Amino acid sequence: EPEVTQTPSHQVTQMGQEVILRCVPISNHLYFYWYRQILGQKVEFLVSFYNNEISEKSEIFDDQFSVERPDGSNFTLKIRSTKLEDSAMYFCASSQFRTYEQYFGPGTRLTVT
Amino acid sequence: QKEVEQNSGPLSVPEGAIASLNCTYSDRGSQSFFWYRQYSGKSPELIMFIYSNGDKEDGRFTAQLNKASQYVSLLIRDSQPSDSATYLCAVNPYEDYGGSQGNLIFGKGTKLSVKP
């Protein structure tokens, strides 16, 4: 059964450093998403991506964040200068169409020290 | 502010019983509704989706949607200890200018505990 994969599973970085989180969405899906979940809190939407451009983004997704689809399979989230409050689980998800069911990857736990 | 509300629980049911999980949403225009299961430290796993008013059954799971009341529920029949997890309700919001949006708004989740 196809699934979303994410790497790394855990990333530790120092405040101010850049991090890139990687995702491989399900191959026939067209819409890609990033969400985050701070420990003990709800899952929050960051950004959606379709046809090589951002289609929606939340207030959390400020200039420190960017997304890219560098090739036909990978989808990345870059945080330019990490802050302590960026520590969270980051989930990638994909769906076949815009409001269809979204399938989540296993997540990357980002720890900023 | 578009919201999805769930009782945080914990909801405790004995093994073999029916677990009933409820969710209300604020966005009257929402069209797509999802239930995810999340084990501690893991990612959300899709277990049900529903787009039309009424009931939708899949194995031991039944999702119920009432758009007029802005209410969606999940019933788990013959609950098993392995069903113990946090259940997340999620909704696609609707924007007047753009229609149904792709992003999901999640509730805080209801923690379910199934006792053997």
Side-chain angles (χ1 to χ4, degrees):
Chain A
E1 186 171 315
E3 57 183 21
V4 178
T5 60
Q6 291 185 244
T7 54
S9 57
H10 190 190
Q11 174 93 47
V12 181
T13 189
Q14 288 190 323
M15 198 166 51
Q17 295 297 302
E18 175 183 287
V19 294
I20 297 176
L21 310 182
R22 291 182 168 79
C23 167
V24 178
I26 294 172
S27 61
N28 66 339
H29 284 187
L30 303 177
Y31 289 82
F32 315 125
Y33 311 85
W34 285 101
Y35 293 83
R36 79 172 185 191
Q37 187 175 31
I38 295 170
L39 188 64
Q41 297 187 25
K42 64 170 74 173
V43 177
E44 300 174 290
F45 168 73
L46 295 177
V47 66
S48 62
F49 193 83
Y50 168 71
N51 200 24
N52 280 321
E53 60 183 27
I54 291 173
S55 57
E56 292 135 353
K57 61 181 181 178
S58 71
E59 292 173 353
I60 303 168
F61 193 87
D62 61 21
D63 293 344
Q64 292 301 307
F65 292 89
S66 63
V67 289
E68 192 178 35
R69 187 153 164 85
D71 54 44
S73 59
N74 288 284
F75 178 49
T76 63
L77 174 69
K78 183 193 292 186
I79 309 175
R80 254 180 278 284
S81 178
T82 49
K83 307 183 187 73
L84 294 175
E85 54 265 37
D86 293 328
S87 294
M89 282 288 285
Y90 287 81
F91 297 114
C92 174
S94 69
S95 66
Q96 201 165 17
F97 300 109
R98 193 179 188 191
T99 58
Y100 278 35
E101 50 278 20
Q102 295 179 24
Y103 295 90
F104 281 66
T108 294
R109 180 174 299 283
L110 177 65
T111 303
V112 182
T113 63
Chain B
Q1 183 83 3
K2 297 176 193 285
E3 297 281 347
V4 174
E5 300 287 343
Q6 297 180 255
N7 287 327
S8 60
L11 173 66
S12 185
V13 300
E15 184 174 356
I18 296 175
S20 178
L21 304 158
N22 304 313
C23 170
T24 58
Y25 58 95
S26 64
D27 189 353
R28 186 167 288 279
S30 292
Q31 299 294 319
S32 306
F33 307 87
F34 307 90
W35 283 99
Y36 287 86
R37 177 173 61 198
Q38 188 175 33
Y39 293 111
S40 182
K42 301 296 185 183
S43 63
E45 175 194 4
L46 180 69
I47 52 172
M48 288 290 286
F49 56 91
I50 187 166
Y51 303 139
S52 304
N53 272 332
D55 295 0
K56 179 182 177 184
E57 188 174 315
D58 184 1
R60 296 187 296 114
F61 299 100
T62 299
Q64 299 174 315
L65 174 61
N66 184 327
K67 289 184 181 178
S69 300
Q70 294 175 237
Y71 175 92
V72 57
S73 66
L74 179 71
L75 300 178
I76 307 174
R77 286 180 299 282
D78 188 24
S79 296
Q80 301 297 307
S82 57
D83 294 327
S84 298
T86 298
Y87 288 80
L88 309 178
C89 175
V91 173
N92 284 122
Y94 182 89
E95 301 289 346
D96 289 336
Y97 63 87
S100 291
Q101 302 297 291
N103 57 292
L104 292 175
I105 299 175
F106 280 84
K108 289 185 179 178
T110 298
K111 189 168 185 176
L112 173 66
S113 176
V114 181
K115 305 292 187 187

